[in-house]
Amino acid sequence: MSYIAVFHPELKEFVDVPAVDQEYAAGVNRYIHRLVTAETRRRYTDSWTREQRLSVKSEIQGIVDEAIKAKKTGTRKKSAVLNLSDS
């Protein structure tokens, strides 16, 4: 999620627009971004801060990292989906 592709009507092509918050965007795929956004809104409604969002991202990334280390195959497979990798 370090950039999004936006269609430019005059050029008639897609242009990559970089994310405003590169620290947050580093290592975040679309699925994780949706999880972080949903959890941030659940906790802080629509008045959240950048630090709160980074905190939620860190918590979710910690859960994913622990799941990757888990011994159960099902847990590893679920974490691989979150990480967009193969188990």
Side-chain angles (χ1 to χ4, degrees), residues 34-82:
R34 287 183 174 179
L35 285 174
V36 170
T37 301
E39 182 61 17
T40 303
R41 283 189 180 146
R42 187 187 72 74
R43 290 185 190 182
Y44 307 109
T45 64
D46 287 331
S47 58
W48 48 268
T49 65
R50 178 180 179 271
E51 288 75 24
Q52 290 168 331
R53 185 168 74 168
L54 288 172
S55 172
V56 170
K57 175 192 169 194
S58 176
E59 289 176 29
I60 290 175
Q61 192 60 51
I63 293 168
V64 171
D65 291 344
E66 285 298 315
I68 289 172
K69 295 175 189 174
K71 295 184 186 242
K72 289 186 175 180
T73 304
T75 305
R76 285 197 320 266
K77 287 190 177 288
K78 287 178 187 176
S79 66
V81 169
L82 290 175

Side-chain angles (χ1 to χ4, degrees), residues 28-32 64 78-87:
V28 174
N29 58 42
R30 187 175 184 185
Y31 186 72
I32 296 294
V64 171
K78 287 178 187 176
S79 66
V81 169
L82 290 175
N83 232 3
L84 289 183
S85 62
D86 195 8
S87 58

Side-chain angles (χ1 to χ4, degrees), residues 15-31:
V15 178
D16 291 343
V17 178
V20 174
D21 189 354
Q22 287 293 321
E23 181 182 355
Y24 167 77
V28 174
N29 58 42
R30 187 175 184 185
Y31 186 72

